[in-house]
Amino acid sequence: MAILQENTEKKVRAVVLAAGFGKRMKSDSSKVLHSVLGKPIIWRLLKAIDGVTKEIVDLEQIHVVIGHNAEQVEGYVQECVKAAQFSCPIFFHKQENQLGTGHALMSARGALDNFGGEVLVLPGDTPLLTSEILDSLFLSHKKEKSDLTILSTRLSNPYDYGRVLRSEQGEVLGIIEEKDASEKQKQIKEISASIYCFNWSAIGDGLSAIKNNNKQGEYYLTDLVSWSVNKGLKIEGFSIDDSRIVTGVNSRFDLQLANQYLNEMVIYSLMSQAGVTVVDPVSTWIAPEVSIDSDTVILPGCWLVGDIQIGKSCIVGPHTVIEGKTKIGDETKVVQSHLENCEIGNTCYVGPFAHLRAGSKIANQVRIGNFVEIKNSNVDSLSAVGHLSYIGDSTIGKDANIGAGTITANYDHTTKIKAATHIEDGASIGSNSVLVAPVNIGKESVIAAGTVITKDVEAGALAVRRVKQENIAGWSEKRKQQKPKKT
Ligand code: UD1
Ligand code: CA
């Protein structure tokens, strides 16, 4: 009964083929776990599948075929599932021997038996695919009442891709792999992205008919196309203009291309839709997860890769790295610095050469100067940590000044215990002071330069800990008159 219901509801299941060796990558890691602008290939692809519009593609399950480095791939995807990154349920199928893309789909057959809906099949190595393209592919498949729709595009250099064979009338006749193609077929510029939409009740039987009588001795998924042609089924080619979207990653060169194409698309959209100036798109890398508000300028040499939000009218760069979950307010300037998992408010000035580490929260109108490292600390508004300082596990109140070379000694190497430093509003820490945590520096208190603080300082007090200075008059002249000793 349940099966009958499934058949009539016409839902959609996706199958991702991710079991291959990825030989051309020459890597110990699975190909689909290599990153494109900070996220693994498989994450980007699954996100695109998961993000289809429900009213268009009623996706009920995603199946991932794993094989080479199976535990690695499944482990990673399961972590994402645990972190609720995908809304569609994901299932795994093991392909014990990697005998080709057709064989990979056979390995997921258990998930498709008696299924009467539509099946989307995708290679696991296509990281730039978008939900919008999948929606359009599906709409076209439905509109044409097609049994099999192939996503294709035209490439000026189609080398290594399967070419789409068409009749003179333009009907799809099959797909021929590079290795099996004649010289004439190699001239064809239309390639298959290996992304298919199948009417499963019409196509499913074809899976058993696939043979491995080709140059590579593999069971090719592409043979389903010629099988369907022979059966007289309705086949459509859905061709897209922007070929970058279906870039397949087979080698390190392809990986670099995928990074470059995604970056181009992100920067184009930031400049045309969000009103952001990117001075040198070639040397600037921005992931699609980054949002930037209007009139912000990104200077050359930046790497902005993570869940990053940057406000209006900021200046970032040159040569700035921002990673992790990081937020920057409006009108803030970040020069030549490294920021990770931190938050910065409005109208701040950071850098050059500042390092803001995880858990740092910087309020508005704060200055963090050169060679300053801040970790897991809050710095409240109008305060300044101008030069050469380390602030760790600390809170700094409003309008406090932290002199050059101030160090919060937050870590006891013997006990491995970290302790906190609290510096209250308006406090002034003299240059080259060491604040040995745990310690509280009271409101508007003053620490004299070069002081080592080991106990709390009450509000309004001066803390000074030095040997009294002595000046010896005429010392320099006397010294000059001393005869050099013979050695
Ligand atoms: C494949 C297509 C080609 C298409 C190109 C688009 C075939 C025979 N070729 O070629 O027509 O133009 O994609 O990018 O289908 N995989 C398995 N098990 C296997 C073999 C492969 O799961 O036994 C997986 C791989 O992990 C990969 C995907 O299937 O994610 C595609 O395999 P790959 O070897 O990259 O095929 P291509 O040579 O790129
Ligand atoms: Ca491929």
Side-chain angles (χ1 to χ4, degrees), residues 247-463:
T247 303
V249 176
N250 291 331
S251 65
R252 304 271 177 174
F253 298 99
D254 297 334
L255 186 66
Q256 180 276 328
L257 262 187
N259 274 282
Q260 184 193 316
Y261 289 159
L262 184 58
N263 194 44
E264 275 172 19
M265 291 188 254
V266 170
I267 291 179
Y268 178 84
S269 142
L270 284 170
M271 298 208 281
S272 58
Q273 312 292 321
V276 174
T277 295
V278 178
V279 172
D280 180 17
V282 175
S283 71
T284 305
W285 297 87
I286 308 181
E289 292 70 40
V290 179
S291 83
I292 308 180
D293 290 343
S294 62
D295 291 321
T296 284
V297 177
I298 311 294
L299 296 173
C302 291
W303 173 261
L304 315 181
V305 172
D307 294 322
I308 299 165
Q309 279 180 52
I310 301 175
K312 280 167 76 74
S313 305
C314 293
I315 299 177
V316 176
H319 306 294
T320 290
V321 173
I322 307 182
E323 293 175 320
K325 197 168 166 53
T326 295
K327 191 173 171 191
I328 298 175
D330 299 333
E331 294 176 17
T332 280
K333 196 167 177 185
V334 180
V335 184
Q336 217 137 327
S337 291
H338 193 131
L339 279 46
E340 58 202 279
N341 295 301
C342 61
E343 212 174 296
I344 303 171
N346 303 328
T347 335
C348 292
Y349 194 107
V350 176
F353 309 110
H355 187 187
L356 301 191
R357 292 169 52 199
S360 298
K361 208 167 164 206
I362 313 297
N364 300 332
Q365 290 176 272
V366 169
R367 163 140 175 73
I368 307 293
N370 34 212
F371 305 106
V372 170
E373 177 181 348
I374 300 196
K375 187 217 73 174
N376 188 34
S377 297
N378 286 3
V379 181
D380 211 339
S381 54
L382 297 163
S383 289
V385 190
H387 334 259
L388 303 152
S389 290
Y390 171 65
I391 305 294
D393 305 314
S394 304
T395 59
I396 298 177
K398 290 188 177 55
D399 199 18
N401 188 63
I402 313 299
T406 297
I407 304 291
T408 56
N410 62 328
Y411 180 57
D412 183 328
H413 179 66
T414 314
T415 60
K416 312 281 182 225
I417 291 172
K418 285 184 180 164
T421 301
H422 299 292
I423 300 170
E424 292 180 19
D425 296 354
S428 177
I429 315 295
S431 297
N432 222 22
S433 297
V434 180
L435 312 178
V436 182
V439 72
N440 290 308
I441 311 296
K443 194 172 171 186
E444 291 176 15
S445 62
V446 174
I447 310 295
T451 302
V452 176
I453 295 288
T454 51
K455 57 182 189 194
D456 291 355
V457 178
E458 65 273 25
L462 166 73

Side-chain angles (χ1 to χ4, degrees), residues 150 164-174 190 225 229 233-237:
I150 306 165
V164 179
L165 306 176
R166 289 183 187 260
S167 68
E168 279 178 6
Q169 290 71 39
E171 297 151 330
V172 174
L173 299 178
E190 187 184 8
V225 182
V229 170
L233 298 176
K234 187 154 168 54
I235 304 164
E236 288 297 323

